[in-house]
Amino acid sequence: MSVPVPAAGYQFCILNDDNVATAITLSALGSSARYESTARTSYGTAGTGTLAATAVAGNMVCIVGRDSTHYLTTNYVGTWTAN
């Protein structure tokens, strides 16, 4: 799934539908943009990093643009990895 390059105030929630157990991967953002880890302790790789979850029903993540290079992770369900 593709989301746009972050901008302050952008907000997105991505989730599996009812009874769907599909892996979710948010694509690389390009440039120097990156996703925050769900532990809120680090960020993935600038430009080429993705945000991905394993294939489990109920997976969900909400991200908010902090500025033009960072998405913060506000809520999530499942195991997510910021690469």
Side-chain angles (χ1 to χ4, degrees):
M1 162 168 262
S2 295
V3 295
V5 172
Y10 277 9
Q11 298 181 47
F12 300 97
C13 288
I14 297 93
L15 60 139
N16 279 334
D17 200 353
D18 292 346
N19 298 312
V20 174
T22 303
I24 300 172
T25 300
L26 304 185
S27 62
L29 298 165
S31 187
S32 58
R34 56 183 73 190
Y35 297 102
E36 179 183 40
S37 72
T38 54
R40 300 196 61 141
T41 57
S42 61
Y43 289 90
T45 305
T48 60
T50 62
L51 185 61
T54 56
V56 176
N59 281 341
M60 182 270 304
V61 69
C62 294
I63 56 175
V64 174
R66 183 182 85 191
D67 53 29
S68 63
T69 57
H70 296 88
Y71 272 119
L72 301 177
T73 304
T74 59
N75 299 312
Y76 71 97
V77 174
T79 302
W80 290 83
T81 304
N83 299 307

